[in-house]
């Protein structure tokens, strides 16, 4: 059990926690959420013993092994595999003692430590480490590369692998999906579901939290509130709480107004003074309930270009890839055909390194195509977001100045109002970028893209560094955006909420993917099993089992085909619901006509009432059918995944 009892934690002049209470029981999987800067990482540091409470106490179980994911990776020449194995420090200690006993020719200690090595599952450690690294996207050829050879994002993956390698009773993970692609996120979610200990997880990925957590802790207004269930359960419970809070607040305000009115009228009249004073005391003692409100500071829309083209961009028989300084071509996607039309909303799927970023860079013109044709519409206007855009920001300039450079004649007040929707309120709009966090830089980059009024949004992992509130605001803005979207993201909620179709980038090809993310997960598992079998055959050539790739693809297509009738049913019911609602809206508008209730209009009124009853019944029946079909689809997807 981990317990916070009346804990206060102060940083500088501000309190992050103030008399906060929380109890986490053994085996619970807890998601910790809250705004950036609220103190989530500080709470982890208190659990690890790196920070002490200013008041109150943090009670931790004795003899409990705590593993955590570090945020920094030191420069080292140790191989990726050895770095991961270092996570099991107990095993490393045993290995050191075995080596020491061997050097001293101490047979007794040598035998003793070999027994400890077997008990610590030392003989399977390397294969377990390789499995972890492969699950997080590393290839077998990466295992013996020095850590120093990997980029920052891949080093963070190594830190995650090291934390997972550590045998632990309590596992602390701080935003583990930030530098992962969709495939690795799905693998990690499955691994954490099977983790037997107590898990505390900081994440802004709502689908990831939904798939793992048994409880959610909300760090809000310096308090820790525990909700039972996953993130969706938390949202529902908090909405109910806020609605009740608002209702109580409104009733209380009405009561206060009534009491205050009485006090104001009679407090100076001798005959009523006593009653007025008693009501005044009631007002003073009454506990004020804060008005409930959606407290997100983010609210924005993305305007679209005034002119557009029916065909925005078309790649025809194009070879996509890179040209080396010596002129050698490296083709990642060969003979590619891909087009984006006005209003199309496409999500890109595919394994890490398959060429999604290459496709995106070729579309936006950052990479020249190696051969073939790239044709753009006359009115194409691209808004492109990638992590590269963050490093291109002027560190000395403010958000306000960035936009003024784009449109010098726009009033400063209009720009500041616009930036407020992205969280740059007041003096934040005037701060230089060099002091910004990763999330603030991402918000600024998104605001600059939005300001240019594109008709095609090309977004490569736009949610990295964004908290849940900003992700939700971005999701809503993309849902309302009338232009075209091309999206790569590991955030499944964003993908599910904003795109209408998927394309698969794999095996040097681009093709439409008939299915949703559950079908993609099934395809991915089949592909990984196939790859594992091929690797096994290469290691054991005498025991080769023939693997038919066509058969694997046929099975994956079969799985998708089973879901197709259900999806068509759901689409049919959705259209029927929309039709019924449309008719009801028209009837409702017609019935607002006052003349309809005159005697001579009686027949027309009866007809409208009859139509209303008919369409209400149709609405209810199709809604019920939609819910049943949706549940059936979810059950089928669960079985397939």
């Amino acid at each position: 059990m981990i317990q916070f009892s009346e804990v206060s934690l102060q940083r500088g002049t501000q309190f992050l926690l103030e008399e906060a209470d929380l109890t986490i029981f053994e085996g619970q999987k807890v998601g910790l959420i809250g705004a950036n800067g609220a103190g989530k990482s500080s709470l982890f540091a208190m659990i690890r013993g790196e920070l002490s409470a200013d008041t109150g106490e943090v009670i931790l179980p004795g003899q409990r092994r705590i593993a955590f994911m570090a945020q920094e990776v030191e420069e080292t020449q140790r191989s990726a595999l050895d770095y991961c194995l270092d996570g099991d420090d107990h095993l490393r200690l045993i290995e050191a003692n075995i080596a020491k006993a061997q050097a001293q020719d101490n047979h007794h200690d040598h035998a003793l430590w070999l027994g400890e090595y077997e008990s610590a599952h030392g003989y399977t450690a390397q294969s377990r480490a390789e499995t972890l690294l492969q699950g997080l996207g590393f290839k077998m050829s990466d295992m013996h590369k020095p850590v120093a050879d990997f980029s920052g994002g891949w080093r963070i993956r190594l830190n995650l692998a090291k934390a997972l390698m550590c045998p632990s009773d309590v596992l602390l993970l701080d935003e583990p999906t930030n530098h992962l692609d969709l495939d690795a996120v799905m693998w990690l979610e499955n691994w954490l579901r099977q983790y037997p200990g107590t898990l505390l997880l900081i994440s802004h990925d709502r689908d990831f939290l939904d798939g793992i957590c048994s409880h959610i802790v909300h760090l809000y207004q310096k308090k820790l509130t525990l909700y039972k269930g996953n993130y969706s359960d938390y949202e529902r419970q908090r909405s109910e709480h806020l609605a009740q809070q608002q209702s109580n607040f409104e009733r209380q305000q009405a009561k206060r107004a009534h009491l205050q009115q009485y006090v104001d009228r009679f407090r100076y009249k001798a005959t009523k003074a006593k009653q007025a004073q008693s009501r005044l005391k009631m007002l003073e003692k009454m506990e004020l309930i804060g008005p409930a409100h959606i407290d997100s500071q983010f609210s924005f829309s993305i305007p679209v270009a005034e002119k557009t083209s029916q065909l925005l961009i078309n790649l025809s028989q194009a070879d996509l890839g890179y040209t080396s300084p010596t002129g050698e071509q490296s083709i990642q996607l060969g003979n590619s055909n891909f087009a984006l039309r006005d209003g199309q909303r496409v999500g890109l799927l595919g394994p890490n390194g398959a060429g999604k970023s290459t496709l995106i860079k070729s579309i936006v013109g950052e990479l020249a195509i190696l051969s073939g044709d790239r044709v753009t519409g006359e009115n194409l206007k691209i808004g492109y977001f990638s992590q590269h855009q963050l490093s291109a920001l002027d560190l000395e300039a403010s958000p306000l100045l960035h936009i003024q450079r784009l449109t010098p004649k726009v009033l400063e007040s209009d720009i500041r109002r616009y930036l407020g929707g992205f969280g740059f309120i007041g003096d934040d709009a005037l701060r230089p970028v060099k002091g910004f966090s990763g999330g603030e830089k991402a918000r600024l980059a998104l605001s600059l893209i939005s300001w240019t009024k594109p008709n095609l949004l090309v977004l490569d992992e736009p949610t990295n560094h964004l908290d849940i509130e900003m992700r939700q605001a971005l999701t809503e803005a993309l849902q309302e955006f009338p232009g075209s979207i091309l999206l790569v993201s590991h955030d499944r909620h964003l993908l599910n909420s904003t795109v209408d179709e998927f394309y698969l980038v794999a095996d040097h090809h681009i093709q439409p993917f008939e299915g949703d993310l559950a079908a993609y997960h099934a395809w991915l598992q089949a592909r990984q099993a196939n790859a594992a079998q091929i690797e096994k055959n290469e290691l054991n050539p005498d025991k080769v089992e023939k693997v038919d790739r066509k058969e694997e693809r046929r099975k994956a297509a079969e799985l998708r085909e089973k879901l197709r009738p259900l999806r068509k049913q759901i689409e049919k019911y959705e259209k029927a619901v929309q039709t019924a609602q449309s008719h009801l809206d028209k009837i409702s508008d017609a019935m607002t006509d006052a003349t309809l209730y005159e005697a001579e209009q009686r027949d027309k009124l009866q007809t409208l009432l009859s139509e209303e009853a008919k369409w209400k019944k149709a609405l209810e029946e199709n809604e019920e059918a939609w819910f049943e079909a949706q549940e059936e689809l979810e059950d089928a997807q669960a079985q397939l995944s």
Side-chain angles (χ1 to χ4, degrees), residues 69-345:
M69 174 185 164
Q71 296 300 308
E72 301 293 334
V73 185
E74 60 195 39
E75 284 282 343
T76 176
Q77 291 302 310
R78 289 184 69 72
S79 70
L81 182 60
D82 282 337
Y83 188 82
C84 178
L85 285 165
D86 289 344
D88 193 342
D89 51 4
H90 178 60
L91 187 61
R92 287 304 199 198
L93 176 63
I94 294 172
E95 289 174 340
N97 283 322
I98 290 173
K100 181 180 177 181
Q102 283 181 318
Q104 295 175 347
D105 203 23
N106 187 331
H107 300 295
H108 176 270
D109 283 0
H110 186 243
L112 176 69
W113 287 113
L114 282 177
E116 290 290 322
Y117 187 76
E118 184 174 4
S119 299
H121 307 290
Y123 294 108
T124 62
Q126 181 169 325
S127 63
R128 285 186 285 117
E130 289 172 349
T131 299
L132 286 174
L133 290 168
Q134 285 180 300
L136 293 174
F138 292 89
K139 301 173 183 175
M140 284 303 293
S141 57
D142 294 327
M143 298 296 164
H144 298 289
K145 285 184 182 177
V147 172
D149 285 4
F150 292 97
S151 65
W154 285 95
R155 292 187 194 180
I156 294 297
R157 292 194 192 206
L158 286 172
N159 271 356
L160 176 56
K162 189 176 181 180
L164 301 184
M165 189 66 194
C166 177
S168 61
D169 303 297
V170 179
L171 178 59
L172 308 177
L173 297 180
D174 190 346
E175 297 193 33
T177 64
N178 248 7
H179 295 277
L180 301 185
D181 56 15
L182 182 59
D183 303 0
V185 169
M186 288 178 166
W187 177 87
L188 178 61
E189 182 180 307
N190 186 58
W191 193 96
L192 292 176
R193 272 201 295 262
Q194 299 175 53
Y195 174 68
T198 304
L199 172 67
L200 275 80
L201 169 68
I202 297 173
S203 179
H204 299 303
D205 186 331
R206 53 185 296 154
D207 276 28
F208 189 64
L209 292 168
D210 267 353
I212 297 167
C213 295
S214 62
H215 294 77
I216 297 291
V217 171
H218 188 198
L219 202 171
Y220 179 68
Q221 294 183 343
K222 306 166 193 172
K223 301 292 184 184
L224 298 168
T225 305
L226 181 69
Y227 294 84
K228 187 174 181 181
N230 59 20
Y231 185 81
S232 294
D233 295 324
Y234 149 79
E235 273 194 326
R236 176 182 53 76
Q237 292 172 53
R238 185 160 190 257
S239 295
E240 291 170 356
H241 170 73
L242 289 176
Q244 182 64 44
Q245 183 182 1
Q246 181 66 26
S247 175
N248 290 344
F249 173 76
E250 289 170 357
R251 284 199 300 269
Q252 192 177 66
Q253 291 305 299
K255 186 175 181 181
R256 283 179 60 85
H258 177 72
L259 291 172
Q260 189 66 54
Q261 186 181 29
Y262 188 94
V263 169
D264 292 342
R265 285 177 61 196
F266 299 117
R267 68 188 304 176
Y268 300 114
K269 290 187 178 182
T271 57
K272 297 288 187 179
K274 188 175 181 180
Q275 293 94 320
Q277 287 301 317
S278 68
R279 284 163 174 74
L280 189 60
K281 288 179 181 177
M282 286 174 62
L283 280 171
E284 291 169 351
K285 290 181 179 179
M286 187 181 290
E287 181 183 355
L288 290 175
I289 300 174
H293 58 90
I294 302 301
D295 51 359
S296 173
Q297 59 183 320
F298 311 118
S299 178
F300 62 91
S301 59
I302 303 174
V304 71
E306 293 176 3
K307 293 183 179 180
T308 190
S309 303
Q310 187 59 36
L311 180 64
L312 295 173
I313 191 159
N314 184 54
L315 299 177
S316 177
Q317 296 181 327
D319 288 337
L320 311 180
Y322 298 84
T323 302
S324 72
T326 59
E328 292 183 29
Q329 292 185 346
S330 173
I331 298 174
Q332 274 198 291
L333 299 170
N335 196 29
S336 303
N337 297 296
F338 184 77
L340 281 169
R341 301 182 181 277
D342 183 38
Q344 217 173 343
R345 306 164 76 87

Side-chain angles (χ1 to χ4, degrees), residues 298-582:
F298 311 118
S299 178
F300 62 91
S301 59
I302 303 174
V304 71
E306 293 176 3
K307 293 183 179 180
T308 190
S309 303
Q310 187 59 36
L311 180 64
L312 295 173
I313 191 159
N314 184 54
L315 299 177
S316 177
Q317 296 181 327
D319 288 337
L320 311 180
Y322 298 84
T323 302
S324 72
T326 59
E328 292 183 29
Q329 292 185 346
S330 173
I331 298 174
Q332 274 198 291
L333 299 170
N335 196 29
S336 303
N337 297 296
F338 184 77
L340 281 169
R341 301 182 181 277
D342 183 38
Q344 217 173 343
R345 306 164 76 87
V346 175
L348 290 182
L349 304 175
N352 183 62
K356 298 188 293 294
S357 292
T358 300
L359 173 59
I360 280 179
K361 289 176 182 177
S362 301
I363 284 172
V364 302
E366 199 171 281
L367 271 181
I369 63 172
L370 304 179
S371 67
D373 295 315
R374 176 183 180 270
V375 179
T376 60
E378 180 183 358
N379 298 304
L380 173 66
K381 195 170 184 181
I382 295 176
Y384 175 42
F385 178 94
S386 74
Q387 298 305 305
H388 171 69
Q389 261 62 42
L390 306 193
S391 59
L393 294 170
D394 184 347
L395 298 182
E396 300 301 324
S398 66
L400 178 69
L401 183 55
H402 274 87
I403 290 186
Q404 283 177 327
R405 287 171 176 171
L406 295 174
T407 49
K409 295 182 180 180
V410 177
L411 292 174
E412 180 178 322
S413 58
D414 291 339
I415 297 175
R416 294 185 69 152
R417 191 179 306 111
Y418 169 78
L419 287 170
F422 290 85
F424 300 109
I425 299 168
D427 290 342
D428 285 346
L430 306 177
R431 288 168 49 213
V433 169
K434 62 184 176 184
F436 279 14
S437 66
E440 288 170 324
K441 288 178 181 176
R443 283 193 272 122
L444 176 55
L446 286 168
S447 74
L448 296 176
I449 291 166
S450 175
W451 185 262
T452 62
K453 296 183 179 179
N455 50 29
L456 170 60
L457 283 172
V458 180
L459 307 174
D460 190 355
E461 296 291 359
T463 62
N464 279 356
H465 309 294
L466 299 183
D467 64 17
I468 287 181
E469 296 292 352
M470 182 58 189
R471 290 186 186 206
Q472 183 60 27
L474 175 61
T475 301
E476 292 172 3
L478 292 180
Q479 286 173 336
E480 295 172 2
F481 178 65
S484 300
I485 296 173
L486 182 63
L487 175 64
V488 174
S489 179
H490 65 260
D491 188 317
R492 286 163 289 176
H493 177 71
L494 183 69
L495 283 168
N496 280 322
S497 301
T498 58
V499 304
D500 301 324
E501 56 185 310
F502 292 108
Y503 271 71
L504 179 65
V505 180
D507 302 321
H508 308 291
H509 294 292
I510 311 163
Q511 60 186 5
F513 183 78
E514 295 294 335
D516 56 12
L517 292 181
Y520 173 66
H521 191 202
W523 175 88
L524 195 63
Q525 288 181 314
R527 177 188 176 87
Q528 289 169 344
N530 186 26
Q533 184 62 50
I534 291 172
E535 187 172 11
K536 179 181 177 183
N537 293 341
E538 289 174 350
L539 294 173
N540 300 283
D542 297 332
K543 299 180 180 180
V544 173
E545 297 177 16
K546 291 185 179 179
V547 178
D548 190 338
R549 290 192 178 185
K550 286 186 179 179
E551 179 64 14
E552 291 292 345
R553 286 197 293 270
R554 186 191 67 77
K555 288 180 180 178
E558 247 180 37
L559 295 178
R560 296 196 297 272
E561 197 62 33
K562 286 179 182 178
L563 299 179
R564 192 190 300 275
L566 284 172
R567 291 200 188 89
K568 286 185 176 179
Q569 270 190 321
I570 288 170
E571 288 177 9
K572 182 184 77 172
Y573 293 135
E574 282 177 350
K575 289 178 181 176
V577 166
Q578 291 172 359
T579 300
Q581 189 60 60
S582 176

